[in-house]
């Protein structure tokens, strides 16, 4: 929420998308670190991975102390004069100029307001889209290494999975770069539609191919890779960005928190449903299960998603 309020309107999409892209960059770096850890520490590699992961929250804890408060929030809480003062303080400390503040409403923040009027449609859209995306994304990310490793029986199966994970990140990076380039050119809504529709089409195609021929590791990897590509063209960065742009300052953080929490339920459903469906009905049923949620995300986007490209925050 703070980053959205510090970003210039014309290029806010790029700023927000790069924030989400940082997750993929971190994943790739960590996978690169995992290779020597697996090679030299064997079964204890996971312990060192946790130790490395523990370092970054400490870095964040110290760095966030220097982050100034958002002038939007200050104005909402204490009025126009205080907001302008926070804006000047931020510009003086960073050397970066942000746009003039709009007349931010000082109306009290109430949780129920995210379900009122037009915001009810907005919260329904973003929670349904984000929930649907997380079910598919977390299902594939969590269990594709297991699917790939079952095809490999050698001593180096774990290392193979690490390299597979790095290769699986290639379509993620390509998708993100395309999204970052186009987000402030063609807008958020079209990218989200392309992302959901493309992932849905890939899954349906993979289902029919799986029906009529033996599907090997390479084809499964390719299908999941294309799903990752379309997800990162649209749903991955945009589900994070939309709540920050379609809600006003007084309920922006509240709406973002609620949408995020619903999406986490989707990730939990994915983690538990994947092995159960696979054990009962097999991979083909999982593909249809995922395709249904891609279609749900697409439907809510077509029906309720507004275009926010080039619009100032309120």
């Amino acid at each position: 929420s703070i980053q959205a309020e510090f970003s210039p309107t014309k290029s806010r999409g790029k700023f927000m998308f790069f924030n989400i892209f940082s997750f993929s960059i971190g994943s790739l770096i960590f996978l690169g670190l995992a290779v020597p850890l697996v090679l030299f520490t064997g079964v204890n590699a996971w312990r060192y991975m946790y130790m490395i992961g523990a370092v970054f929250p400490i870095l964040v804890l110290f760095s966030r102390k220097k982050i100034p408060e958002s002038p939007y929030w200050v104005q909402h809480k204490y009025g126009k004069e205080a907001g302008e003062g926070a804006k000047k303080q931020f510009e003086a400390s960073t050397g970066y100029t942000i746009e003039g503040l709009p007349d931010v409403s000082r109306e009290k923040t109430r949780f129920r307001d995210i379900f009122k009027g037009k915001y009810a449609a907005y919260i329904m859209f973003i929670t349904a889209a984000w929930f649907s995306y997380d079910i598919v994304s977390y299902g594939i990310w969590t269990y594709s290494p297991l699917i790939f490793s079952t095809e490999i029986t050698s001593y180096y199966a774990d290392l193979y999975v690490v390299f597979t994970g790095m290769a699986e990140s290639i379509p993620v990076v390509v998708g993100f770069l395309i999204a970052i380039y186009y987000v402030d050119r063609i807008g958020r809504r079209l990218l989200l539609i392309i992302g959901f529709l493309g992932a849905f089409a890939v899954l349906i195609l993979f289902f029919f191919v799986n029906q009529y021929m033996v599907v090997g590791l390479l084809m499964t990897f390719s299908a999941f890779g294309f799903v990752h590509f379309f997800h990162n063209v649209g749903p991955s960065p945009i589900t994070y960005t939309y709540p920050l742009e379609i809600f006003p300052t007084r309920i922006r953080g509240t709406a973002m928190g609620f949408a995020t929490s619903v999406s986490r339920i989707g990730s939990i459903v994915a983690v538990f449903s994947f092995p159960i469906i696979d054990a009962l009905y097999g991979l083909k049923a999982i593909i249809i299960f995922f395709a249904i949620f891609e279609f749900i995300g697409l439907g809510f986007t077509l029906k309720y998603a507004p275009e926010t490209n080039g619009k100032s925050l309120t």
Side-chain angles (χ1 to χ4, degrees), residues 23-51:
F23 175 87
S24 298
I25 295 171
S27 298
L28 277 171
I29 293 172
F30 199 71
L31 282 167
L33 292 171
V35 173
L37 287 175
V38 171
L39 280 173
F40 296 112
T41 64
V43 295
N44 289 312
W46 68 272
R47 299 179 186 274
Y48 296 100
M49 292 178 190
Y50 270 103
M51 289 171 63

Side-chain angles (χ1 to χ4, degrees), residues 77-139:
K77 202 73 176 175
Y78 303 109
K80 183 75 172 179
E81 187 176 344
E84 289 293 339
K87 175 177 177 291
K88 292 176 182 177
Q89 184 180 15
F90 167 77
E91 291 173 342
S93 64
T94 64
Y96 172 69
T97 302
I98 59 176
E99 299 166 356
L101 291 174
D103 291 325
V104 176
S105 170
R106 296 200 63 194
E107 186 180 346
K108 187 178 178 181
T109 299
R110 289 182 291 265
F111 177 70
R112 64 179 180 270
D113 287 351
I114 66 175
F115 304 103
K116 288 184 176 180
K118 66 178 180 180
Y119 300 127
Y122 289 168
I123 201 68
M124 183 167 56
F125 146 63
I126 195 59
T127 52
W130 203 344
F131 179 89
S132 299
Y133 158 69
D134 269 17
I135 282 186
V136 184
S137 180
Y138 276 82

Side-chain angles (χ1 to χ4, degrees), residues 32-299:
L33 292 171
V35 173
L37 287 175
V38 171
L39 280 173
F40 296 112
T41 64
V43 295
N44 289 312
W46 68 272
R47 299 179 186 274
Y48 296 100
M49 292 178 190
Y50 270 103
M51 289 171 63
I52 294 170
V55 172
F56 291 94
I58 297 172
L59 296 177
V60 172
L61 188 64
F62 283 101
S63 64
R64 71 182 299 165
K65 292 170 70 175
K66 294 185 178 181
I67 298 176
E69 187 53 81
S70 161
Y72 283 79
W73 184 86
V74 172
Q75 182 176 333
H76 160 67
K77 202 73 176 175
Y78 303 109
K80 183 75 172 179
E81 187 176 344
E84 289 293 339
K87 175 177 177 291
K88 292 176 182 177
Q89 184 180 15
F90 167 77
E91 291 173 342
S93 64
T94 64
Y96 172 69
T97 302
I98 59 176
E99 299 166 356
L101 291 174
D103 291 325
V104 176
S105 170
R106 296 200 63 194
E107 186 180 346
K108 187 178 178 181
T109 299
R110 289 182 291 265
F111 177 70
R112 64 179 180 270
D113 287 351
I114 66 175
F115 304 103
K116 288 184 176 180
K118 66 178 180 180
Y119 300 127
Y122 289 168
I123 201 68
M124 183 167 56
F125 146 63
I126 195 59
T127 52
W130 203 344
F131 179 89
S132 299
Y133 158 69
D134 269 17
I135 282 186
V136 184
S137 180
Y138 276 82
I140 292 177
W141 273 119
T142 304
Y143 290 105
S144 58
L146 180 63
I147 293 172
F148 299 146
S149 65
T150 56
E151 303 289 331
I152 304 297
T153 57
S154 73
Y155 173 78
Y156 293 103
D158 289 343
L159 192 59
Y160 174 84
V161 171
V162 171
F163 281 115
T164 302
M166 296 179 75
E168 202 175 7
S169 296
I170 294 173
V172 172
V173 172
V174 174
F176 258 123
L177 292 176
I178 291 173
I180 289 171
Y181 181 80
Y182 280 108
V183 61
D184 293 313
R185 288 175 168 82
I186 66 174
R188 286 69 159 147
R189 189 174 187 273
L190 181 56
L191 284 177
L192 190 56
I193 291 170
I194 291 171
F196 275 127
L197 182 60
F200 173 77
V202 167
L203 289 168
I204 292 299
L205 177 63
F206 186 47
F207 173 80
F208 283 109
V209 170
N210 197 294
Q211 285 280 87
Y212 298 109
M213 61 182 291
V214 177
V215 175
L217 180 64
L218 182 60
M219 188 170 291
T220 305
F221 176 82
S222 299
F224 287 167
F226 275 109
V227 171
H228 286 320
F229 168 78
F230 282 111
H231 275 174
N232 290 281
V233 166
S236 179
I238 295 175
T239 49
Y240 281 90
T241 303
Y242 250 127
L244 306 174
E245 296 186 320
I246 58 180
F247 292 95
T249 299
R250 67 184 180 87
I251 54 174
R252 179 173 295 119
T254 302
M256 182 65 175
F258 180 76
T260 305
S261 63
V262 173
S263 76
R264 299 307 93 177
I265 297 172
S267 65
I268 294 169
V269 171
V271 170
F272 281 98
S273 64
F274 192 111
I276 294 172
I277 297 172
D278 187 39
L280 293 175
Y281 306 108
L283 183 61
K284 287 181 282 190
I286 291 173
I287 296 168
I288 289 298
F289 178 71
F290 285 164
I292 289 170
F293 281 99
E294 297 285 3
F295 188 77
I296 291 171
L298 175 64

